[in-house]
Amino acid sequence: MAITHKTRKFLWAKSGNTCAFCKTQLITNNIDSTEFNIGEECHIISSKPTGPRHVADLKDYDNYENLLLLCKNHHKEIDELVDTYTEELLRYIKRNHENWVKKVIAEAAQEKGKDQKPKFLMRITSGKDLFNIVNEVHAYNTDYEDAKDSAEAQFIGDFIQTLIDYGDISAMLEPYDKVQIGFELQKLLDDLDQKGYYVFGEKTPNAILPHISKKDKWTVANVIIRRKENPEIIKLDI
């Protein structure tokens, strides 16, 4: 098997177009704007019997969990120093790097938002529309009112966490799975509505990481939860 387009897209997005070791931008531009790809999709466990960290009879050597995005120099280093770069260490580095990318993008999105003028967000009433907002985004901006009690804090927290979890795996989902998730999110929206809450949101593409890439657009899911009686809400008859 080969690395699928879906897996490759997911890996590069989660890695922020940067090497997991040195954070170097892996697709760069020269003076005449020609793009150069200096990144390599590296296998943590090699499929070759004599390859680095080989494990026999692995179900899929080309799945996302077995891939690490690196520059050429660090790819060579991990495959030559196999006693140092064990499977466990590389999985830790992969997880730590992808968490770093998520954190940097989220912080950059929040900082960028401070300088923007207030804007109107549409109320989200469809599970399908809500899933589309978090589908294949790079970061999340969420806001909600202070909970009145522990039960309220729990269901709001569960809603936000579920939404982010679906967003994080969205790039790997098949169309059937996305339809089912839309249905589940519809039930959560209905539950929030019965508890007296509205959900507002949008997906925004922003060049929020100029220190990584001035050209790349990093999409951010903005989701706001407000009580129905909140004076910030403007009701329009269209």
Side-chain angles (χ1 to χ4, degrees), residues 116-163:
Q116 294 179 339
K117 296 180 179 180
K119 62 189 303 183
F120 294 101
L121 297 180
M122 295 295 294
R123 181 187 169 199
I124 307 301
T125 59
S126 159
K128 175 185 175 183
D129 290 342
L130 183 57
F131 177 73
N132 286 339
I133 288 175
V134 299
N135 186 28
E136 298 191 38
V137 299
H138 298 90
Y140 308 87
N141 272 337
T142 60
D143 192 28
Y144 50 90
E145 298 186 55
D146 290 336
K148 295 179 178 178
D149 51 47
S150 59
E152 192 172 76
Q154 180 172 346
F155 77 72
I156 292 177
D158 287 346
F159 174 82
I160 293 173
Q161 188 60 59
T162 298
L163 195 59

Side-chain angles (χ1 to χ4, degrees), residues 6-93:
K6 181 183 291 186
T7 299
R8 177 170 287 114
K9 181 179 179 182
F10 194 56
L11 176 66
W12 281 79
K14 286 291 187 179
S15 301
N17 184 32
T18 55
C19 172
F21 278 63
C22 60
K23 314 303 184 192
T24 298
Q25 184 184 340
L26 297 177
I27 296 182
T28 59
N29 293 55
N30 66 2
I31 297 176
D32 63 2
S33 297
T34 302
E35 287 190 342
F36 288 93
N37 184 346
I38 60 172
E40 296 188 352
E41 296 144 355
C42 314
H43 289 84
I44 295 174
I45 298 174
S46 174
S47 62
K48 300 177 181 179
T50 58
R53 297 168 295 277
H54 174 71
V55 175
D57 301 322
L58 193 66
K59 184 177 180 180
D60 184 4
Y61 291 96
D62 294 316
N63 69 8
Y64 161 73
E65 296 297 338
N66 193 42
L67 296 172
L68 184 64
L69 193 62
L70 299 176
C71 65
K72 294 179 184 293
N73 291 339
H74 282 108
H75 187 187
K76 180 179 180 182
E77 181 177 331
I78 69 165
D79 284 355
E80 289 182 349
L81 303 176
V82 292
D83 290 336
T84 299
Y85 295 108
T86 63
E87 175 189 346
E88 292 75 16
L89 178 59
L90 292 180
R91 293 196 185 282
Y92 170 79
I93 290 171

Side-chain angles (χ1 to χ4, degrees), residues 87-207:
E87 175 189 346
E88 292 75 16
L89 178 59
L90 292 180
R91 293 196 185 282
Y92 170 79
I93 290 171
K94 172 185 172 73
R95 182 172 62 253
N96 192 56
H97 176 65
E98 292 176 357
N99 286 338
W100 171 81
V101 170
K102 182 186 294 186
K103 180 175 181 289
V104 169
I105 294 175
E107 289 176 350
Q110 292 173 0
E111 190 64 28
K112 184 179 179 69
K114 293 178 182 178
D115 299 327
Q116 294 179 339
K117 296 180 179 180
K119 62 189 303 183
F120 294 101
L121 297 180
M122 295 295 294
R123 181 187 169 199
I124 307 301
T125 59
S126 159
K128 175 185 175 183
D129 290 342
L130 183 57
F131 177 73
N132 286 339
I133 288 175
V134 299
N135 186 28
E136 298 191 38
V137 299
H138 298 90
Y140 308 87
N141 272 337
T142 60
D143 192 28
Y144 50 90
E145 298 186 55
D146 290 336
K148 295 179 178 178
D149 51 47
S150 59
E152 192 172 76
Q154 180 172 346
F155 77 72
I156 292 177
D158 287 346
F159 174 82
I160 293 173
Q161 188 60 59
T162 298
L163 195 59
I164 292 175
D165 288 345
Y166 282 146
D168 283 348
I169 65 171
S170 59
M172 302 296 289
L173 297 174
E174 299 296 336
Y176 173 85
D177 300 314
K178 294 183 178 183
V179 173
Q180 299 305 309
I181 288 175
F183 178 73
E184 293 300 320
L185 289 177
Q186 183 65 61
K187 292 193 291 186
L188 291 177
L189 282 174
D190 292 342
D191 190 32
L192 275 175
D193 184 70
Q194 292 178 2
K195 288 180 168 62
Y197 283 89
Y198 288 146
V199 177
F200 304 85
E202 68 173 0
K203 179 190 291 187
T204 55
N206 293 311

